[in-house]
Amino acid sequence: MITPSFPIVGIGASAGGLQAFTRLLESLPTTIGMAYVCVQHLAPTHESLLSDLLARTTKMPVHEIRHDTRVEPNHVYVLSPGTDLTLENGVLKPEARIHTHGLHLPIDAFFRSL
């Protein structure tokens, strides 16, 4: 098992969480040595502009996760629509969202893996 030698910070928000994400990233130093993963409750069929909007608020690279991605310090990662996200051995792993009749809790699922 490979464990990153830097902190990985999980940040969850409801669909209205853009302002909270923005305010947080605006206040963070860009070379603090941590990785940030923003997981937001999104409608599975809506296109998300979150990565573009967050890229305007920080000098850290912002990535929308569409395929397995190794986490790097001083980077911001964003959940892509229609996916769930887990972290395994320092790699973010998006998976197609499973449609269920109950609540969909992508933040909880990510935090469990974190």
Side-chain angles (χ1 to χ4, degrees):
M1 177 159 83
I2 299 170
T3 303
S5 60
F6 54 88
I8 299 171
V9 179
I11 308 161
S14 66
L18 175 61
Q19 182 180 7
F21 285 145
T22 300
R23 291 185 68 197
L24 175 66
L25 292 177
E26 285 174 340
S27 66
L28 291 174
T30 58
T31 58
I32 199 166
M34 297 181 191
Y36 302 92
V37 183
C38 299
V39 180
Q40 186 176 31
H41 286 286
L42 299 170
T45 57
H46 269 273
E47 183 179 333
S48 174
L49 299 174
L50 184 60
S51 60
D52 294 333
L53 296 170
L54 294 181
R56 297 177 191 168
T57 67
T58 181
K59 293 184 190 264
M60 289 185 278
V62 178
H63 309 277
E64 185 174 302
I65 303 304
R66 297 186 180 274
H67 52 80
D68 289 4
T69 303
R70 179 153 302 282
V71 179
E72 297 181 43
N74 305 315
H75 287 246
V76 177
Y77 301 93
V78 177
L79 175 69
S80 59
T83 62
D84 287 330
L85 190 62
T86 57
L87 179 70
E88 185 179 317
N89 297 323
V91 176
L92 292 168
K93 297 182 168 282
E95 295 180 10
R97 177 179 169 181
I98 298 171
H99 297 282
T100 62
H101 294 290
L103 290 174
H104 179 244
L105 303 171
I107 297 168
D108 293 26
F110 179 71
F111 283 174
R112 279 191 295 275
S113 73
L114 183 59

